[in-house]
Amino acid sequence: MFSGIVEEFAIVTKIRKYGENIDFTFKCSFTDELKIDQSVAHNGVCLTVVEIKDGTYTVTAMKETLDRSNLGLLSVGDKVNVERSMIMNGRLDGHIVQGHVDQTAKCVDMKDADGSTYFTFQYEASREMAQRGYFCVDKGSVTVNGVSLTVCEPTDNSFTVAIIPYTRDNTNFCDIQVGTVVNIEFDILGKYIARLRHFE
């Protein structure tokens, strides 16, 4: 379980493909604090640490994860937002994030907001997906590349978020441009409500 408050971005140092899986090796400031089997969110995707060596750590992504996320698009040197699992005796500064990315979205617009930046993302949408809770509501929560954000101006297949300078400088939002593919996780509360409607 995560909060969507990104700790920093890690740098991809190695990528190894085998079968339908990919091992990603990262370097970040808290590598030495990690343990094997620990969960870390990478661009919002919860992955298990399988190796720690020479100041780096490695995680494995399977086909299902690669199909639903942007991890398969990563290259060595890329920045990835990382967050360790939430400590349950602290404040929940973001919102409840599972680390289970639902799908990808594409940045279709960026606008300056006198210091901050509005990013608009578009995603594949259908009636069936909406019935599963894959949608956004105004002033609701959404996770973009692991960052907990508040939705504004949602449509059937898009939403806008406002990014303050601190967030842009300290996450990989600094590299997002029009055309960039990001991971999104819709609010789990909306998914449960959507599912409950099938039993009415």
Side-chain angles (χ1 to χ4, degrees):
M1 191 69 69
F2 305 92
S3 67
I5 304 300
V6 169
E7 295 185 58
E8 60 182 271
F9 48 73
I11 304 298
V12 181
T13 62
K14 184 179 178 181
I15 297 175
R16 183 175 74 93
K17 298 182 180 181
Y18 63 97
E20 293 188 329
N21 295 344
I22 299 181
D23 277 353
F24 295 97
T25 301
F26 297 98
K27 186 172 186 177
C28 71
S29 69
F30 55 74
T31 299
D32 292 339
E33 301 173 35
L34 295 175
K35 298 178 181 178
I36 301 297
D37 287 338
Q38 189 168 351
S39 296
V40 180
H42 300 78
N43 278 354
V45 180
C46 178
L47 298 172
T48 301
V49 176
V50 297
E51 182 180 51
I52 301 170
K53 183 179 179 182
D54 300 327
T56 66
Y57 71 94
T58 299
V59 295
T60 301
M62 59 187 293
K63 185 178 186 300
E64 167 74 8
T65 301
L66 297 169
D67 288 345
R68 283 182 176 258
S69 72
N70 64 3
L71 296 185
L73 303 176
L74 292 176
S75 300
V76 171
D78 283 351
K79 303 181 185 77
V80 174
N81 294 333
V82 288
E83 178 192 355
R84 287 172 284 184
S85 56
M86 188 168 52
I87 299 173
M88 297 305 289
N89 64 351
R91 293 185 177 89
L92 180 59
D93 291 318
H95 73 283
I96 297 172
V97 177
Q98 293 188 295
H100 302 160
V101 166
D102 294 308
Q103 63 187 96
T104 58
K106 183 179 289 188
C107 180
V108 294
D109 192 34
M110 294 170 58
K111 291 181 181 177
D112 179 67
D114 195 20
S116 295
T117 309
Y118 285 110
F119 289 81
T120 299
F121 297 98
Q122 191 172 80
Y123 56 92
E124 181 183 345
S126 67
R127 181 179 179 83
E128 292 75 20
M129 294 170 74
Q131 289 174 340
R132 293 165 59 190
Y134 287 21
F135 59 85
C136 292
V137 297
D138 196 35
K139 300 299 184 263
S141 296
V142 69
T143 309
V144 177
N145 272 2
V147 182
S148 173
L149 297 166
T150 301
V151 173
C152 57
E153 300 177 7
T155 70
D156 288 346
N157 69 338
S158 71
F159 62 90
T160 298
V161 292
I163 303 299
I164 62 174
Y166 178 87
T167 302
R168 188 165 184 179
D169 292 343
N170 290 277
T171 70
N172 62 12
F173 264 90
C174 63
D175 291 334
I176 293 177
Q177 301 291 332
V178 171
T180 298
V181 176
V182 299
N183 295 331
I184 53 174
E185 179 184 331
F186 298 103
D187 189 356
I188 185 62
L189 299 178
K191 294 176 194 174
Y192 276 116
I193 292 169
R195 178 62 176 162
L196 282 170
R197 293 193 61 190
H198 288 282
F199 298 97
E200 291 179 349

